[in-house]
Amino acid sequence: MQNLTFPPFDYQIRKHDGTMMIFDIIRKKYVVLTPEEWVRQHLIHYLVEEKHYPRALISVEKEINLYGLKRRFDVVCYDRQSEPYLIVECKAPTVALSQVVFDQVFRYNLVMAAPYVAITNGVAHYCGRLNEDRTFSFLPGFPGFNPVC
């Protein structure tokens, strides 16, 4: 797997029926190790270990209803009141982070209404805050968990 700009972490990989699997600490099971999953697992560990998000407040690959269409977000972190706080769309390292990717996560956020939105391919990351005047302000990195929220 490709080196990413997230810090390394201790991961558990196994082979099942010829398929490489990685253990997901949030879903508490082994999942197929795709390039996108490699990014997602790095992001999850980064958020837990470096940004102090509680595991119990992170949701991974859950289905949402987007105006009658079933869609699946990558990662949503919640605040202490169970409100979406940060939504992240993960792509494989070879996928360019374009306006199309931002549009995808912003469409999901129409339903989720998280104040923070981010996209990552593990090499580059773009994160920002949705302001009350409906503008978007880029941040230098992912927001830390705010226990007061």
Side-chain angles (χ1 to χ4, degrees), residues 115-126:
Y116 294 96
V117 176
I119 60 175
T120 181
N121 63 9
V123 178
H125 327 284
Y126 297 101

Side-chain angles (χ1 to χ4, degrees), residues 36-66:
E36 182 178 311
E37 192 62 49
W38 184 242
V39 172
R40 190 168 23 252
Q41 292 305 313
H42 274 80
L43 169 71
I44 290 167
H45 283 266
Y46 173 74
L47 292 174
V48 169
E49 296 166 15
E50 303 289 327
K51 295 296 185 173
H52 310 291
Y53 285 82
R55 290 181 191 190
L57 297 179
I58 298 175
S59 191
V60 178
E61 285 204 305
K62 296 285 184 179
E63 192 174 273
I64 58 171
N65 185 331
L66 183 63

Side-chain angles (χ1 to χ4, degrees), residues 2-21:
Q2 184 170 345
N3 286 334
L4 306 178
T5 57
F6 288 115
F9 68 98
D10 290 328
Y11 50 87
Q12 299 173 35
I13 292 182
R14 73 177 188 194
K15 203 172 206 174
H16 179 71
D17 292 335
T19 301
M20 295 301 291
M21 311 283 284

